[in-house]
Amino acid sequence: MPADFNGQWVMVTNENFEDIMNAIDIDFATRKIARHLTQTKVIVQNGDKFETKTLSTFRNYEVNFTVGEEFEEVTKGLDNRTIQRECVLQTLVTWDGDKLVAVQKGEKANRGWMQWIEGDLLHLEIHVEDKVCKQVFKKKP
Ligand code: ECB
């Protein structure tokens, strides 16, 4: 049985988010708004199949995947990049024990994330190049 990520998770901390936004060339005006957002993660999981939504008052981002199946992830709308190819990633999510590990191949080196549960907390580490953002979410009762 894989770990169970189902639920709604509300952000409690968001460390170094600015670094990640800078690393993927998010403009100043967008960063200024985005750094104050309380994000909510909505996850529907059926075994290895995931439907995920990251919601905020400013922008939402949806990505669906099956663990072990590489897919084309288009972050346009999230990254809001001007050149289409810059936001196309080849993404593969795998299990590392009970942790989900995503490798996102694209324009930026060493891009990906790792996500796991500890009690009623969801931990998410997002990395790009040498930057790491650490987010923690608390499960909605
Ligand atoms: C969608 C809420 C945040 C909106 C921020 C708006 C602009 C900033 C642009 C880019 C910021 C860089 C990364 C976004 C960080 C979080 C979004 C989702 C990260 C993700 O892929 O989470 C996975 C694992 O939880 C979804 O399956």
Side-chain angles (χ1 to χ4, degrees), residues 16-139:
N16 303 328
F17 189 52
E18 190 82 12
D19 288 350
I20 289 291
M21 290 196 287
N22 272 312
I24 58 172
D25 311 314
I26 302 298
D27 65 89
F28 176 79
T30 304
R31 292 202 312 272
K32 206 177 149 191
I33 300 167
R35 65 172 164 240
H36 299 295
L37 298 171
T38 299
Q39 301 173 25
T40 298
K41 194 79 71 180
V42 181
I43 302 177
V44 176
Q45 177 192 358
N46 202 326
D48 283 347
K49 237 172 117 55
F50 285 79
E51 295 176 2
T52 76
K53 295 187 172 82
T54 307
L55 306 174
S56 74
T57 51
F58 176 54
R59 254 173 225 171
N60 300 323
Y61 181 63
E62 299 188 16
V63 60
N64 302 332
F65 55 86
T66 301
V67 176
E69 293 182 10
E70 191 172 57
F71 66 101
E72 185 174 274
E73 179 174 7
V74 182
T75 61
K76 201 164 181 66
L78 177 66
D79 288 13
N80 207 22
R81 316 283 297 269
T82 46
I83 302 171
Q84 174 73 23
R85 70 173 162 76
E86 291 177 339
C87 49
V88 179
L89 307 168
Q90 287 300 318
T91 301
L92 175 64
V93 184
T94 55
W95 291 111
D96 177 6
D98 280 339
K99 291 186 180 181
L100 280 177
V101 180
V103 175
Q104 297 170 310
K105 280 184 282 176
E107 186 207 6
K108 301 292 179 182
N110 192 36
R111 183 166 177 176
W113 50 262
M114 189 180 294
Q115 183 168 272
W116 68 97
I117 293 168
E118 287 175 19
D120 64 347
L121 299 179
L122 177 79
H123 294 258
L124 174 61
E125 272 182 16
I126 302 171
H127 51 90
V128 180
E129 294 170 341
D130 61 340
K131 307 300 184 210
V132 181
C133 163
K134 178 73 200 286
Q135 304 183 330
V136 179
F137 301 77
K138 192 176 167 65
K139 191 165 192 169

